[in-house]
Amino acid sequence: MLSLKEKDKPIIKKLLSAGCCARCVLRFCCVSVQAAYRRPHQETLKELQAFIKSTEENNKSHDAAGSEPPDDPPSKRAKLEPIVAGAPSEEDSAAGVRLKDEESSVCVVCLGILQELCGTTQAVKMADAVKAEKYEFDTLVLSVSLPAQLCSVRLCEHVEKSAAVDKEDFIQVKEAFKWILQGLVSKELGGIAVVTRSLFEVGVEFTHPETDVDCHFLTTMNCLFLCRQSVFTRMAVVKALEKISEAKFLKHYPCPPVKPTSSCSSQDVQCLHVSIFVAGRYNKFCRNLPQTPWLIDGERRMESSVEELIAAPILSSFRADGFNFSSSGREDVDVRTLGNGRPFAMELLNPHRSRLSKVEMKQLQETINASSDKIRVRDLQIVTREAMSRMKEGEEEKTKSYTALIWTLKPIERDDITFIDDIKDLTLDQKTPLRVLHRRALAVRQRVIHSMNARFLDSHHFYLGLKTQAGTYIKEFVHGDFGRTKPNLCELLKTDTDILELDVESVDVDWPPSIPE
């Protein structure tokens, strides 16, 4: 039995006469019992008709009782018409025709979505799409995208006035659709729980070409932001309608709306798993490998990159559609990354597999390391989105250590470089280097070299060890970058210097957590 009240009867009658389906009537009557929407809509319509009819019959009986004298005997000359048992009256026949018409007509509010488009057929279609994609998941959430023109059906304002209720209390089409479908989809997927929040989303989009032009009048009513959009999005229509008075609206849009001749069309089912994040640390052992694909004027300059060597096995294992790669800083193509490596993280987009055991992650790490001798990965693990902020903090706030092979123009002796060991917390003013000016804004950045040490090789070469603030341009400190970095090593040694080799020895970011070998 539907949880309807006596005050709902005039509303129900008005909605049914306007062309609303049974489930939309329940929505406007603020029926929040989910089971009521899961009943076949034909049964609900019959019950609503009976609910109205009972009121009308009671009113007729009451009127008849009040108009006839209680003691007036029937006329002897009145001829009784023969009554055929089981034959329907004209009134019942008319009611049956109306019921049949209302069952077959398309709802003016939901455009058929809550009629024939939310049953077993739709559930099977959604379940088949999930099975075909071979996702691994424990729960799922349903989503539905409705035609933007549904927003312009303003029956709710009239119901709101009649029933003295807030339209915020009305049940939304999306909610009713989910209430009906969630049990059916769960059954088709073998009992998988359909919940309100999940990492895995199964969505369906509805379109209604017949009424696509219904929102176009908004472009003529000072809703200029719509004119700049190529499509009428649902949110854009909602915002536009908030600015329009009911009187202006009714000049352009009939209420109740014209009854549609066709239902909405269900588009392809879309499955989407939220991103997962894989982190680790990498070493780079060669001097001709960029961190990311190196493209100049659309032409590839290197056959591979650190990103690609790491990403390919990970994408395959998680069966993801794509990825975003990030790291705590980056090294130049000719710079090695040694020591405990550089922290990196990958966002895996729409992974079809979201969990790997520790053993499987270890095997994945070994697969990456066996694929190339140019890189090595360690501490590979799944992390949360929030934990990735730890890596980004290290880009500017932490320290990094380097070893550089230095060449000097003038011959040097061992004693000429010993003073370098005593330099502490040297502050540099570094104007954006010429070599990165095409991708970084022109600015002067202060960076600190916390300590240095020099190791003599020969009269023109020595090794320089540095511990610096993250973000320091080491090459520019060595050769001066035409005076754009001050002070620089040329000034300190009073001779031209250049850098022949550079290695990153450590990136002092305590993330991700170390995993014992």
Side-chain angles (χ1 to χ4, degrees):
M1 186 67 183
L2 302 175
S3 54
L4 298 171
K5 301 176 182 178
E6 193 69 25
K7 66 180 181 65
D8 295 325
K9 291 183 178 180
I11 303 172
I12 295 171
K13 190 172 182 179
K14 177 183 287 188
L15 290 172
L16 289 178
S17 64
C20 278
C21 70
R23 286 169 175 155
C24 280
V25 171
L26 297 183
R27 294 193 306 108
F28 286 129
C29 289
C30 305
V31 175
S32 58
V33 179
Q34 297 185 20
Y37 294 87
R38 298 188 183 116
R39 298 175 58 191
H41 69 90
Q42 298 92 340
E43 292 185 9
T44 303
L45 180 59
K46 291 177 182 178
E47 189 166 334
L48 291 174
Q49 290 279 12
F51 185 61
I52 298 173
K53 189 177 179 181
S54 65
T55 304
E56 293 174 348
E57 289 178 349
N58 289 339
N59 291 339
K60 288 180 181 178
S61 299
H62 183 269
D63 293 341
S67 60
E68 292 182 5
D71 297 326
D72 189 15
S75 171
K76 292 181 180 180
R77 290 178 293 179
K79 292 183 89 175
L80 298 177
E81 295 291 336
I83 299 176
V84 180
S89 65
E90 292 183 7
E91 185 177 340
D92 289 339
S93 298
V97 171
R98 287 198 305 273
L99 183 60
K100 186 175 181 179
D101 290 342
E102 288 166 356
E103 285 180 356
S104 60
S105 62
V106 179
C107 176
V108 296
V109 181
C110 70
L111 301 178
I113 292 174
L114 297 182
Q115 292 173 291
E116 301 299 337
L117 296 176
C118 58
T120 303
T121 302
Q122 184 65 46
V124 170
K125 179 180 179 180
M126 299 177 78
D128 287 347
V130 173
K131 294 173 184 177
E133 295 285 345
K134 297 182 180 179
Y135 282 90
E136 294 181 10
F137 58 95
D138 296 323
T139 63
L140 66 88
V141 61
L142 296 179
S143 69
V144 56
S145 176
L146 303 176
Q149 53 266 37
L150 256 66
C151 303
S152 59
V153 178
R154 282 202 167 181
L155 274 176
C156 58
E157 278 85 348
H158 295 270
V159 177
E160 182 183 9
K161 292 176 181 178
S162 302
V165 295
D166 192 333
K167 62 182 177 183
E168 298 298 327
D169 294 331
F170 298 145
I171 307 300
Q172 299 298 312
V173 174
K174 286 186 177 183
E175 287 301 306
F177 179 86
K178 294 175 185 178
W179 290 347
I180 299 165
L181 257 292
Q182 58 189 14
L184 299 175
V185 172
S186 176
K187 181 181 178 181
E188 294 296 329
L189 291 174
I192 292 289
V194 180
V195 295
T196 55
R197 296 188 66 181
S198 174
L199 300 179
F200 181 54
E201 177 182 300
V202 180
V204 61
E205 178 184 2
F206 292 104
T207 60
H208 196 248
E210 181 185 339
T211 56
D212 273 347
V213 298
D214 283 5
C215 299
H216 290 188
F217 72 91
L218 294 171
T219 59
T220 64
M221 302 184 68
N222 297 323
C223 303
L224 299 180
F225 63 96
L226 283 170
C227 297
R228 295 193 294 268
Q229 298 184 0
S230 59
V231 293
F232 288 81
T233 65
R234 183 175 177 84
M235 186 54 64
V237 172
V238 168
K239 289 182 178 180
L241 289 173
E242 289 174 352
K243 299 181 178 182
I244 299 174
S245 67
E246 185 176 355
K248 287 184 177 180
F249 176 84
L250 291 176
K251 290 181 180 179
H252 298 268
Y253 197 91
C255 190
V258 176
K259 292 185 179 181
T261 59
S262 62
S263 295
C264 283
S265 299
S266 172
Q267 304 303 300
D268 291 340
V269 176
Q270 300 294 326
C271 300
L272 181 67
H273 196 290
V274 300
S275 297
I276 63 172
F277 299 86
V278 174
R281 303 179 80 101
Y282 72 81
N283 294 111
K284 193 185 86 167
F285 300 121
C286 66
R287 299 191 186 279
N288 59 355
L289 185 70
Q291 187 193 63
T292 55
W294 198 358
L295 302 174
I296 299 178
D297 296 329
E299 184 177 335
R300 191 180 185 101
R301 294 303 176 95
M302 295 282 181
E303 65 179 18
S304 190
S305 64
V306 173
E307 173 187 297
E308 291 167 296
L309 291 174
I310 294 174
I314 294 177
L315 276 178
S316 177
S317 293
F318 287 90
R319 307 204 313 272
D321 289 349
F323 70 94
N324 292 316
F325 185 91
S326 58
S327 63
S328 182
R330 57 187 297 139
E331 68 282 327
D332 291 337
V333 62
D334 58 347
V335 176
R336 296 186 303 179
T337 300
L338 308 176
N340 62 354
R342 184 185 298 278
F344 74 91
M346 282 180 59
E347 178 187 8
L348 300 178
L349 307 175
N350 194 23
H352 289 48
R353 189 182 184 193
S354 59
R355 289 191 303 269
L356 269 70
S357 67
K358 290 183 178 179
V359 173
E360 290 173 320
M361 289 299 292
K362 186 72 173 178
Q363 292 173 343
L364 176 56
Q365 179 174 294
E366 292 171 354
T367 299
I368 296 171
N369 293 338
S371 66
S372 174
D373 58 0
K374 296 180 179 181
I375 64 162
R376 184 177 183 276
V377 169
R378 58 180 293 178
D379 301 332
L380 196 67
Q381 57 197 279
I382 297 175
V383 298
T384 63
R385 182 188 293 272
E386 292 72 25
M388 288 185 61
S389 61
R390 295 280 303 278
M391 181 185 71
K392 288 301 179 183
E393 289 171 3
E395 290 189 4
E396 298 294 336
E397 298 177 5
K398 303 298 182 180
T399 60
K400 297 180 181 180
S401 299
Y402 302 87
T403 298
L405 176 59
I406 307 299
W407 168 86
T408 63
L409 178 63
K410 292 182 179 179
I412 59 171
E413 297 180 0
R414 192 180 303 271
D415 291 342
D416 293 333
I417 58 175
T418 55
F419 76 95
I420 292 176
D421 294 8
D422 298 325
I423 297 176
K424 306 295 180 185
D425 296 328
L426 178 66
T427 300
L428 310 179
D429 290 326
Q430 293 198 300
K431 188 177 289 187
T432 304
L434 293 173
R435 63 188 174 92
V436 300
L437 197 54
H438 64 286
R439 58 182 171 85
R440 292 210 66 181
L442 178 61
V444 176
R445 300 173 179 85
Q446 283 199 338
R447 293 292 184 265
V448 177
I449 297 178
H450 298 292
S451 63
M452 292 186 285
N453 63 83
R455 180 159 56 91
F456 182 81
L457 283 179
D458 57 43
S459 60
H460 287 281
H461 301 87
F462 69 95
Y463 280 112
L464 178 65
L466 309 96
K467 185 172 184 179
T468 73
Q469 178 184 354
T472 304
Y473 291 106
I474 304 301
K475 292 178 179 179
E476 282 66 28
F477 166 68
V478 172
H479 58 62
D481 196 24
F482 301 100
R484 298 170 70 87
T485 290
K486 289 181 176 292
N488 54 64
L489 193 59
C490 298
E491 295 176 344
L492 297 176
L493 291 176
K494 296 181 174 56
T495 181
D496 288 345
T497 60
D498 205 350
I499 188 167
L500 302 181
E501 293 180 352
L502 179 62
D503 293 332
V504 180
E505 298 290 351
S506 70
V507 179
D508 302 324
V509 179
D510 188 21
W511 189 90
S514 178
I515 298 177
E517 293 290 338

